Amino acid sequence: VYHGLPTNLHTPNLKPSGDYVAFLGRISPEKRVDRAIRIACAAGIPIRIAAKVDKADREYYEQEIKPMLSLPGVEFIGEINERQKPEFLGNARAMLFPIDWPEPFGIVMIESMACGTPVLAFRNGSVPEVIDDGISGFIVDSEEEAVSVLQRTVNLDRRQVRRRFEERFSATRMAEDYVE
């Protein structure tokens, strides 16, 4: 049974006003914000990073990520709260999920889909179970492949992305699956 969210928690944004791709999560080696930055920069699309830095990952942030934050088009906004997520994700052209570990679920993927925002994710852990390749986003195996499909990702039908969220990841669907 997959996680689910209330369908009214995040409203879909079918006409995003932002000209950026989003990264939302934790700054840690396995979440690979470095990949997200390189992908966005190579594609020529600005990236906004909403992420927290845990004490355990402070050294990684300082040594590996902080120097990348001065690159053109890279904006680090820090940690955001639940009320800020719909605007941040909904106005993004796509959400990057370039993980490098066997992610058990990745709730940020369905939060993004709830906003109608397609997801570009690396084939690890639960990603192939969550993303419908070519419909709610794209699944890739390398940074080069990610750069090559990013424009196709941002052009996916946001109504269809939201529809997939409602069909597969609503709280109602989750409850029905538990009852079954």
Side-chain angles (χ1 to χ4, degrees):
V1 174
Y2 294 119
H3 290 288
L5 297 173
T7 54
N8 64 350
L9 185 62
H10 300 305
T11 47
N13 184 347
L14 303 178
K15 296 188 186 297
S17 62
D19 186 29
Y20 64 91
V21 292
F23 177 92
L24 176 62
R26 233 177 349 104
I27 293 192
S28 64
E30 66 274 6
K31 297 290 187 174
R32 297 302 301 263
V33 70
D34 60 313
R35 276 184 180 166
I37 292 169
R38 285 194 298 271
I39 292 163
C41 288
I45 300 176
I47 183 169
R48 295 185 72 199
I49 301 162
K52 65 179 178 176
V53 182
D54 289 333
K55 188 177 178 181
D57 296 311
R58 176 61 57 186
E59 184 178 331
Y60 167 74
Y61 167 76
E62 293 291 335
Q63 292 181 0
E64 303 292 328
I65 302 305
K66 194 172 182 180
M68 298 179 84
L69 299 180
S70 62
L71 293 171
V74 178
E75 181 183 359
F76 180 69
I77 62 174
E79 190 173 0
I80 61 173
N81 63 37
E82 293 299 317
R83 288 186 325 276
Q84 295 168 307
K85 282 182 183 181
E87 182 179 347
F88 177 74
L89 290 170
N91 281 317
R93 295 174 66 194
M95 199 272 293
L96 302 182
F97 196 71
I99 59 166
D100 194 16
W101 75 299
E103 177 77 53
F105 187 76
I107 199 128
V108 70
M109 289 188 287
I110 68 170
E111 289 173 326
S112 184
M113 291 166 57
C115 295
T117 304
V119 179
L120 177 59
F122 275 58
R123 187 182 316 278
N124 283 306
S126 64
V127 166
E129 295 179 61
V130 176
I131 301 301
D132 291 307
D133 198 47
I135 299 171
S136 58
F138 283 97
I139 302 168
V140 298
D141 296 301
S142 70
E143 287 182 37
E144 296 78 18
E145 187 182 4
V147 172
S148 74
V149 300
L150 184 52
Q151 194 59 51
R152 287 175 42 209
T153 307
V154 303
N155 289 327
L156 286 173
D157 182 346
R158 294 174 77 93
R159 282 181 185 84
Q160 185 68 1
V161 173
R162 171 64 186 205
R163 190 172 304 122
R164 275 299 210 233
F165 158 76
E166 291 172 357
E167 292 168 359
R168 299 189 61 219
F169 302 109
S170 70
T172 300
R173 192 272 327 139
M174 178 181 66
E176 289 169 351
D177 287 355
Y178 274 120
V179 168
E180 186 179 313

